[in-house]
Amino acid sequence: MNHSQELQWIDYLIMIIYFGFVLGIGFLLKSFMKTSSEFLTAARSIPAWVAGLAFLSANLGAQEVIGMAASGAKYGIATSHFYWLGAIPAMVFVGIFMMPFYYGSKAHSVPDYLLLRFDKKTRSLNAMTFALMTIMSSGISMYAMALLIQTLHIFDAPFQMAGLPETWVFHVSIILSALIVLGYIFLGGLTSAIYNEVLQFFLIVAGFAPLVFLGLKNVGGWSGLKAELPTAFVHAWSGMGSPHNNPLGVEWFSLVMGLGFVLSFGYWCTDFLVVQRAMAADSMSAARRTPLIAAVPKMLFPFLVILPGLIALALTRPAQDPPSGLGERSAAKTAEVATVQDSLIAPQVNVETGQVVKDKEGNPVLDYNTVIPRMLLHYFPSGMLGLGLTALLASFMSGMAGNVTAFNTVCTYDIYRAYIRKDGSDQHYFKVARFMTVLGVALSVGAAYFAAAFNNIMDILQLVFAFVNAPLFATFLLGMFWKRTTGHGAFFGLLSGIAAAALHQGLTLPEGSVPGIKGGWIAVVNTYPSEMAQNFWTAIFAWTTCFLVTIIISLATAPRPDNELRGLVYALTERQRDECVAWYQRPVTFGIVVLGLTLLLNIIFF
């Protein structure tokens, strides 16, 4: 085990080789980036298996690798619901039912599909909210990267030599990571991002599999892990009858409706960040298989990214055992503010003052985002540590590149070309796309500081999804499967959904928080057991409001004629026939197998 917590030359060499390799891919592809289509959409030339792994890796950013481990430590194995309930069913749905509309309509983005199906104002609203969401998400990745550099003390020595305060390490890390990502995306556009995402997928697996193995061995295997943790932390569905009986602080309805339906389908079916990878596939068949191919490794990723959080929690001993009679959530709270020696979960530190953050009782609050970096330092020797850190860097590059490539496409096509200059040359839009890349990275820097206020980056990420993706899914669901939906209904439905999310968040607050960015900035009429519970209900209110308002206004306004909706609405689109391909290439058959395996995992960890 690496107790020295010092990087050796071999660790730096591995990271340098990685950076050289990914930048080399960008340089090789740069000569092929001659048009805006090649830079922004990869000219629809990506094979299915490459698009599938990129579809998964685009979501496998630092916020997932670090954030899911943080959620594993904070909420237990119930975090697996973000995969087995909150991802796989929606990925199957988008592959079977929604990709024919996206790919067949020849739309270059999700907002562009909204233009074809509804009208300009609906497209514009989605384009602007999506651009904001990608900035927030890429900012979270940037924050995670800075947190990693700060935790590993990479810059401590040169800062001491220069006489600079250690509190500047975080800020310099933000700027440095922004410059690295900017150079990476600027070279090869979407094609470079996709092929690097495939490389990053394999690096993440290679870097985290040994960490899980060593951690499980240290804690005594799965049986030892179960013995060290409260029951609710090792059972996915235990205590879901009441929000006070499980670590997530939710009951089964808000879990299934909020996460399993609204947030899950809202993200995987409408978020251009991931849909863009499938739309870059080289055929309709490949585009439909892309999410299904991604679903296979996706269902196994809880064992790579959630288990480290559980292991860290099991090895973090509280200062004293909780009094008898307290529930499991109380036991978890005791662990959260524990004082430990050689803890794998560090206390949260204010990036401005360098002081440890404490709760209202004066106890240090643990920063779950430090789980993965500290476990790498604890378990990996030199060389292996370099591989593990490279895996983290890969996840950061993956998430950041995915968000920025989606941002520059939407801003170039759906905002700039639509409203600022409609008749520009392709070379002009090519230059604009590169400018939007620079702008996206710059705005992400500001978002990184906003993310620093949360001790679990998955909480803020789910909040952003609740505002943007939740109401958008209601719009898509009605637009694709009810031809009576009108542009006015879609637009005002989206506005109402976003307003409902803001109102709910402004009137509610997670337990133990103070009014502010976490809610309650209007008034506090309800307190939720956890931030995640608040996020789920915010999503439910946003989706329901958008759904109902869209229906009401659509019934009161004139619909478009059927001949204008062919290929855009399910009832007016020719069905895809798969009889001439092998069974494993048929999306419906493939999807049924994936859903069956996911159900089996839920039963095993029930």
Side-chain angles (χ1 to χ4, degrees):
M1 296 183 184
N2 182 28
H3 294 292
S4 67
Q5 297 192 354
E6 293 182 0
L7 300 180
Q8 304 299 320
W9 67 269
I10 186 64
D11 302 313
Y12 287 108
L13 179 61
I14 292 172
M15 287 186 280
I16 291 171
I17 291 174
Y18 165 72
F19 277 118
F21 199 87
V22 296
L23 290 174
I25 292 177
F27 277 112
L28 288 175
L29 292 173
K30 183 180 179 181
S31 60
F32 297 97
M33 300 295 108
K34 299 179 180 178
T35 67
S36 62
S37 175
E38 291 168 341
F39 185 79
L40 295 172
T41 67
R44 290 194 168 185
S45 60
I46 306 299
W49 74 271
V50 174
L53 293 181
F55 188 95
L56 171 64
S57 295
N59 175 254
L60 195 62
Q63 65 262 40
E64 175 156 357
V65 173
I66 292 181
M68 280 300 179
S71 293
K74 189 173 184 179
Y75 302 123
I77 198 64
T79 307
S80 63
H81 288 307
F82 286 95
Y83 292 83
W84 301 335
L85 180 66
I88 305 301
M91 294 168 76
V92 172
F93 184 83
V94 70
I96 294 175
F97 293 105
M98 298 187 74
M99 280 315 302
F101 302 115
Y102 286 136
Y103 200 90
S105 66
K106 303 298 182 182
H108 51 67
S109 68
V110 169
D112 192 39
Y113 172 82
L114 291 176
L115 171 66
L116 298 173
R117 174 60 182 90
F118 297 118
D119 51 29
K120 290 183 178 179
K121 63 180 181 295
T122 307
R123 187 264 298 270
S124 301
L125 178 60
N126 176 239
M128 289 185 287
T129 55
F130 175 77
L132 176 63
M133 186 182 70
T134 55
I135 290 301
M136 287 301 303
S137 187
S138 60
I140 290 171
S141 289
M142 190 176 292
Y143 160 71
M145 181 67 171
L147 180 72
L148 171 67
I149 293 174
Q150 187 180 48
T151 303
L152 298 178
H153 307 288
I154 293 176
F155 292 158
D156 284 9
F159 267 61
Q160 291 174 1
M161 293 176 61
L164 299 174
E166 291 185 3
T167 53
W168 284 20
V169 171
F170 183 86
H171 309 297
V172 172
S173 300
I174 290 284
I175 302 302
L176 180 62
S177 62
L179 293 175
I180 292 172
V181 172
L182 176 61
Y184 161 47
I185 301 172
F186 200 82
L187 289 170
L190 178 61
T191 306
S192 176
I194 287 177
Y195 279 100
N196 273 308
E197 283 163 359
V198 175
L199 168 66
Q200 290 152 4
F201 167 80
F202 290 109
L203 273 175
I204 290 168
V205 173
F208 283 87
L211 182 66
V212 174
F213 173 79
L214 292 173
L216 277 177
K217 183 179 179 181
N218 187 194
V219 81
W222 178 249
S223 59
L225 188 65
K226 291 173 65 176
E228 292 288 336
L229 296 174
T231 302
F233 272 69
V234 291
H235 290 279
W237 290 93
S238 177
M240 287 298 171
S242 168
H244 300 285
N245 292 335
N246 64 84
L248 274 176
V250 301
E251 80 291 342
W252 69 268
F253 177 79
S254 63
L255 178 69
V256 174
M257 182 66 179
L259 174 63
F261 181 66
V262 177
L263 284 172
S264 170
F265 282 73
Y267 176 76
W268 293 101
C269 298
T270 68
D271 195 312
F272 184 53
L273 167 65
V274 290
V275 172
Q276 185 183 33
R277 272 67 190 156
M279 293 175 70
D282 57 13
S283 68
M284 171 69 81
S285 176
R288 296 184 72 198
R289 294 199 310 275
T290 291
L292 304 177
I293 293 171
V296 177
K298 183 71 173 181
M299 73 174 70
L300 301 177
F301 257 78
F303 302 110
L304 279 182
V305 297
I306 295 176
L307 271 184
L310 286 168
I311 294 166
L313 184 63
L315 296 175
T316 297
R317 297 185 179 89
Q320 59 183 17
D321 293 332
S324 60
L326 288 182
E328 287 158 353
R329 283 187 53 76
S330 298
K333 185 64 179 176
T334 302
E336 180 177 337
V337 297
T339 301
V340 294
Q341 294 182 351
D342 195 27
S343 172
L344 293 179
I345 310 177
Q348 186 177 0
V349 177
N350 187 301
V351 297
E352 296 292 340
T353 64
Q355 300 297 313
V356 173
V357 177
K358 297 183 179 181
D359 65 6
K360 57 186 179 182
E361 297 175 357
N363 297 311
V365 177
L366 299 183
D367 188 351
Y368 297 108
N369 294 321
T370 62
V371 166
I372 288 294
R374 291 178 72 88
M375 286 192 71
L376 289 174
L377 289 169
H378 182 76
Y379 284 110
F380 280 1
S382 298
M384 281 294 296
L385 178 60
L387 179 62
L389 296 180
T390 301
L392 269 183
L393 293 174
S395 71
F396 162 75
M397 299 287 281
S398 175
M400 187 72 175
N403 280 288
V404 175
T405 54
F407 174 86
N408 62 20
T409 301
V410 168
C411 287
T412 301
Y413 283 148
D414 298 300
I415 296 178
Y416 182 85
R417 190 173 71 175
Y419 296 100
I420 299 176
R421 184 170 178 180
K422 301 179 180 180
D423 57 352
S425 65
D426 184 75
Q427 282 301 304
H428 175 73
Y429 294 127
F430 189 18
K431 293 178 181 178
V432 170
R434 286 185 159 168
F435 169 78
M436 291 300 179
T437 302
V438 177
L439 178 64
V441 172
L443 293 175
S444 298
V445 172
Y449 286 95
F450 178 77
F454 288 73
N455 76 330
N456 182 354
I457 55 181
M458 281 303 295
D459 288 335
I460 177 60
L461 198 61
Q462 294 304 316
L463 177 62
V464 173
F465 290 161
F467 269 75
V468 179
N469 291 95
L472 182 60
F473 176 57
T475 303
F476 270 88
L477 197 64
L478 289 169
M480 286 186 171
F481 297 98
W482 187 41
K483 64 180 183 179
R484 186 68 178 74
T485 312
T486 67
H488 294 305
F491 177 75
F492 289 105
L494 275 175
L495 279 181
S496 300
I498 296 171
L503 181 63
H504 178 266
Q505 208 258 351
L507 293 173
T508 62
L509 197 64
E511 186 178 291
S513 300
V514 296
I517 60 175
K518 292 188 178 182
W521 38 270
I522 299 175
V524 181
V525 299
N526 185 49
T527 300
Y528 286 102
S530 68
E531 292 170 23
M532 203 61 72
Q534 182 194 36
N535 294 339
F536 289 172
W537 279 106
T538 299
I540 292 172
F541 275 97
W543 184 89
T544 304
T545 301
C546 179
F547 191 82
L548 294 177
V549 171
T550 301
I551 290 176
I552 293 171
I553 295 181
S554 293
L555 291 174
T557 52
R560 294 172 60 183
D562 288 359
N563 65 309
E564 295 182 6
L565 298 177
R566 300 194 184 281
L568 300 172
V569 178
Y570 187 78
L572 302 174
T573 301
E574 184 179 355
R575 305 294 183 271
Q576 296 294 314
R577 302 184 181 278
D578 304 310
E579 290 81 1
C580 299
V581 298
W583 69 269
Y584 57 85
Q585 291 183 319
R586 299 175 186 175
V588 175
T589 305
F590 198 166
I592 291 173
V593 172
V594 169
L595 290 175
L597 293 173
T598 305
L599 177 62
L600 179 62
L601 287 171
N602 273 282
I603 293 173
I604 292 174
F605 291 92
F606 186 86

PDB file of all heavy atoms in Angstrom, residues 283-300:
ATOM      1  N   SER A 283     -25.257   4.181 -39.717  1.00  0.00           N
ATOM      2  CA  SER A 283     -26.513   3.708 -40.315  1.00  0.00           C
ATOM      3  C   SER A 283     -27.620   3.758 -39.275  1.00  0.00           C
ATOM      4  O   SER A 283     -27.352   3.874 -38.073  1.00  0.00           O
ATOM      5  CB  SER A 283     -26.361   2.282 -40.844  1.00  0.00           C
ATOM      6  OG  SER A 283     -26.184   1.363 -39.770  1.00  0.00           O
ATOM      7  N   MET A 284     -28.861   3.637 -39.717  1.00  0.00           N
ATOM      8  CA  MET A 284     -29.993   3.600 -38.795  1.00  0.00           C
ATOM      9  C   MET A 284     -29.893   2.402 -37.862  1.00  0.00           C
ATOM     10  O   MET A 284     -30.133   2.511 -36.651  1.00  0.00           O
ATOM     11  CB  MET A 284     -31.307   3.538 -39.583  1.00  0.00           C
ATOM     12  CG  MET A 284     -32.541   3.275 -38.717  1.00  0.00           C
ATOM     13  SD  MET A 284     -32.967   4.655 -37.640  1.00  0.00           S
ATOM     14  CE  MET A 284     -33.834   5.682 -38.842  1.00  0.00           C
ATOM     15  N   SER A 285     -29.526   1.238 -38.395  1.00  0.00           N
ATOM     16  CA  SER A 285     -29.394   0.030 -37.579  1.00  0.00           C
ATOM     17  C   SER A 285     -28.328   0.224 -36.499  1.00  0.00           C
ATOM     18  O   SER A 285     -28.519  -0.154 -35.343  1.00  0.00           O
ATOM     19  CB  SER A 285     -29.042  -1.167 -38.454  1.00  0.00           C
ATOM     20  OG  SER A 285     -28.828  -2.323 -37.668  1.00  0.00           O
ATOM     21  N   ALA A 286     -27.200   0.815 -36.882  1.00  0.00           N
ATOM     22  CA  ALA A 286     -26.127   1.050 -35.920  1.00  0.00           C
ATOM     23  C   ALA A 286     -26.561   2.058 -34.860  1.00  0.00           C
ATOM     24  O   ALA A 286     -26.228   1.909 -33.677  1.00  0.00           O
ATOM     25  CB  ALA A 286     -24.886   1.558 -36.644  1.00  0.00           C
ATOM     26  N   ALA A 287     -27.314   3.068 -35.264  1.00  0.00           N
ATOM     27  CA  ALA A 287     -27.788   4.072 -34.311  1.00  0.00           C
ATOM     28  C   ALA A 287     -28.720   3.457 -33.279  1.00  0.00           C
ATOM     29  O   ALA A 287     -28.664   3.788 -32.093  1.00  0.00           O
ATOM     30  CB  ALA A 287     -28.496   5.204 -35.058  1.00  0.00           C
ATOM     31  N   ARG A 288     -29.590   2.532 -33.698  1.00  0.00           N
ATOM     32  CA  ARG A 288     -30.526   1.893 -32.765  1.00  0.00           C
ATOM     33  C   ARG A 288     -29.801   0.941 -31.816  1.00  0.00           C
ATOM     34  O   ARG A 288     -30.182   0.784 -30.659  1.00  0.00           O
ATOM     35  CB  ARG A 288     -31.607   1.143 -33.530  1.00  0.00           C
ATOM     36  CG  ARG A 288     -32.506   2.024 -34.388  1.00  0.00           C
ATOM     37  CD  ARG A 288     -33.607   1.214 -35.034  1.00  0.00           C
ATOM     38  NE  ARG A 288     -34.609   0.799 -34.049  1.00  0.00           N
ATOM     39  CZ  ARG A 288     -35.486  -0.191 -34.259  1.00  0.00           C
ATOM     40  NH1 ARG A 288     -35.429  -0.897 -35.387  1.00  0.00           N
ATOM     41  NH2 ARG A 288     -36.375  -0.502 -33.334  1.00  0.00           N
ATOM     42  N   ARG A 289     -28.747   0.299 -32.286  1.00  0.00           N
ATOM     43  CA  ARG A 289     -28.004  -0.636 -31.435  1.00  0.00           C
ATOM     44  C   ARG A 289     -27.058   0.083 -30.475  1.00  0.00           C
ATOM     45  O   ARG A 289     -26.647  -0.497 -29.465  1.00  0.00           O
ATOM     46  CB  ARG A 289     -27.198  -1.623 -32.294  1.00  0.00           C
ATOM     47  CG  ARG A 289     -28.035  -2.565 -33.127  1.00  0.00           C
ATOM     48  CD  ARG A 289     -27.228  -3.787 -33.572  1.00  0.00           C
ATOM     49  NE  ARG A 289     -25.966  -3.448 -34.173  1.00  0.00           N
ATOM     50  CZ  ARG A 289     -25.786  -3.142 -35.453  1.00  0.00           C
ATOM     51  NH1 ARG A 289     -26.827  -3.123 -36.271  1.00  0.00           N
ATOM     52  NH2 ARG A 289     -24.586  -2.869 -35.927  1.00  0.00           N
ATOM     53  N   THR A 290     -26.703   1.318 -30.774  1.00  0.00           N
ATOM     54  CA  THR A 290     -25.729   2.041 -29.968  1.00  0.00           C
ATOM     55  C   THR A 290     -26.087   2.088 -28.481  1.00  0.00           C
ATOM     56  O   THR A 290     -25.273   1.706 -27.633  1.00  0.00           O
ATOM     57  CB  THR A 290     -25.532   3.468 -30.519  1.00  0.00           C
ATOM     58  OG1 THR A 290     -24.872   3.391 -31.785  1.00  0.00           O
ATOM     59  CG2 THR A 290     -24.687   4.306 -29.577  1.00  0.00           C
ATOM     60  N   PRO A 291     -27.301   2.526 -28.080  1.00  0.00           N
ATOM     61  CA  PRO A 291     -27.620   2.541 -26.646  1.00  0.00           C
ATOM     62  C   PRO A 291     -27.684   1.145 -26.033  1.00  0.00           C
ATOM     63  O   PRO A 291     -27.386   0.968 -24.842  1.00  0.00           O
ATOM     64  CB  PRO A 291     -28.997   3.220 -26.592  1.00  0.00           C
ATOM     65  CG  PRO A 291     -29.151   3.905 -27.908  1.00  0.00           C
ATOM     66  CD  PRO A 291     -28.396   3.076 -28.886  1.00  0.00           C
ATOM     67  N   LEU A 292     -28.061   0.135 -26.835  1.00  0.00           N
ATOM     68  CA  LEU A 292     -28.170  -1.237 -26.324  1.00  0.00           C
ATOM     69  C   LEU A 292     -26.790  -1.836 -26.076  1.00  0.00           C
ATOM     70  O   LEU A 292     -26.583  -2.553 -25.091  1.00  0.00           O
ATOM     71  CB  LEU A 292     -28.962  -2.096 -27.310  1.00  0.00           C
ATOM     72  CG  LEU A 292     -30.361  -1.574 -27.649  1.00  0.00           C
ATOM     73  CD1 LEU A 292     -31.021  -2.462 -28.697  1.00  0.00           C
ATOM     74  CD2 LEU A 292     -31.227  -1.498 -26.401  1.00  0.00           C
ATOM     75  N   ILE A 293     -25.847  -1.540 -26.955  1.00  0.00           N
ATOM     76  CA  ILE A 293     -24.467  -1.984 -26.746  1.00  0.00           C
ATOM     77  C   ILE A 293     -23.914  -1.334 -25.478  1.00  0.00           C
ATOM     78  O   ILE A 293     -23.254  -1.987 -24.654  1.00  0.00           O
ATOM     79  CB  ILE A 293     -23.597  -1.633 -27.972  1.00  0.00           C
ATOM     80  CG1 ILE A 293     -24.037  -2.462 -29.194  1.00  0.00           C
ATOM     81  CG2 ILE A 293     -22.117  -1.866 -27.673  1.00  0.00           C
ATOM     82  CD1 ILE A 293     -23.388  -2.031 -30.500  1.00  0.00           C
ATOM     83  N   ALA A 294     -24.209  -0.061 -25.296  1.00  0.00           N
ATOM     84  CA  ALA A 294     -23.723   0.656 -24.110  1.00  0.00           C
ATOM     85  C   ALA A 294     -24.350   0.117 -22.828  1.00  0.00           C
ATOM     86  O   ALA A 294     -23.734   0.166 -21.761  1.00  0.00           O
ATOM     87  CB  ALA A 294     -24.025   2.147 -24.252  1.00  0.00           C
ATOM     88  N   ALA A 295     -25.568  -0.412 -22.912  1.00  0.00           N
ATOM     89  CA  ALA A 295     -26.278  -0.875 -21.716  1.00  0.00           C
ATOM     90  C   ALA A 295     -25.616  -2.089 -21.066  1.00  0.00           C
ATOM     91  O   ALA A 295     -25.735  -2.286 -19.855  1.00  0.00           O
ATOM     92  CB  ALA A 295     -27.729  -1.206 -22.065  1.00  0.00           C
ATOM     93  N   VAL A 296     -24.925  -2.907 -21.849  1.00  0.00           N
ATOM     94  CA  VAL A 296     -24.311  -4.134 -21.304  1.00  0.00           C
ATOM     95  C   VAL A 296     -23.219  -3.796 -20.280  1.00  0.00           C
ATOM     96  O   VAL A 296     -23.283  -4.240 -19.127  1.00  0.00           O
ATOM     97  CB  VAL A 296     -23.770  -5.027 -22.434  1.00  0.00           C
ATOM     98  CG1 VAL A 296     -23.066  -6.242 -21.854  1.00  0.00           C
ATOM     99  CG2 VAL A 296     -24.912  -5.473 -23.340  1.00  0.00           C
ATOM    100  N   PRO A 297     -22.190  -3.010 -20.632  1.00  0.00           N
ATOM    101  CA  PRO A 297     -21.213  -2.646 -19.582  1.00  0.00           C
ATOM    102  C   PRO A 297     -21.804  -1.704 -18.543  1.00  0.00           C
ATOM    103  O   PRO A 297     -21.360  -1.700 -17.386  1.00  0.00           O
ATOM    104  CB  PRO A 297     -20.080  -1.972 -20.367  1.00  0.00           C
ATOM    105  CG  PRO A 297     -20.690  -1.524 -21.647  1.00  0.00           C
ATOM    106  CD  PRO A 297     -21.765  -2.507 -21.957  1.00  0.00           C
ATOM    107  N   LYS A 298     -22.822  -0.924 -18.920  1.00  0.00           N
ATOM    108  CA  LYS A 298     -23.420   0.023 -17.981  1.00  0.00           C
ATOM    109  C   LYS A 298     -23.987  -0.695 -16.757  1.00  0.00           C
ATOM    110  O   LYS A 298     -23.846  -0.208 -15.622  1.00  0.00           O
ATOM    111  CB  LYS A 298     -24.529   0.813 -18.677  1.00  0.00           C
ATOM    112  CG  LYS A 298     -25.184   1.889 -17.804  1.00  0.00           C
ATOM    113  CD  LYS A 298     -24.251   3.047 -17.568  1.00  0.00           C
ATOM    114  CE  LYS A 298     -24.943   4.192 -16.843  1.00  0.00           C
ATOM    115  NZ  LYS A 298     -24.037   5.332 -16.623  1.00  0.00           N
ATOM    116  N   MET A 299     -24.620  -1.844 -16.958  1.00  0.00           N
ATOM    117  CA  MET A 299     -25.241  -2.549 -15.832  1.00  0.00           C
ATOM    118  C   MET A 299     -24.198  -3.140 -14.880  1.00  0.00           C
ATOM    119  O   MET A 299     -24.512  -3.464 -13.732  1.00  0.00           O
ATOM    120  CB  MET A 299     -26.176  -3.650 -16.346  1.00  0.00           C
ATOM    121  CG  MET A 299     -25.491  -4.869 -16.923  1.00  0.00           C
ATOM    122  SD  MET A 299     -26.666  -6.182 -17.348  1.00  0.00           S
ATOM    123  CE  MET A 299     -27.512  -5.461 -18.745  1.00  0.00           C
ATOM    124  N   LEU A 300     -22.955  -3.267 -15.322  1.00  0.00           N
ATOM    125  CA  LEU A 300     -21.896  -3.821 -14.484  1.00  0.00           C
ATOM    126  C   LEU A 300     -21.062  -2.747 -13.792  1.00  0.00           C
ATOM    127  O   LEU A 300     -20.270  -3.065 -12.902  1.00  0.00           O
ATOM    128  CB  LEU A 300     -20.977  -4.717 -15.336  1.00  0.00           C
ATOM    129  CG  LEU A 300     -21.659  -5.899 -16.027  1.00  0.00           C
ATOM    130  CD1 LEU A 300     -20.656  -6.649 -16.899  1.00  0.00           C
ATOM    131  CD2 LEU A 300     -22.289  -6.847 -15.015  1.00  0.00           C
TER     132      LEU A 300
END
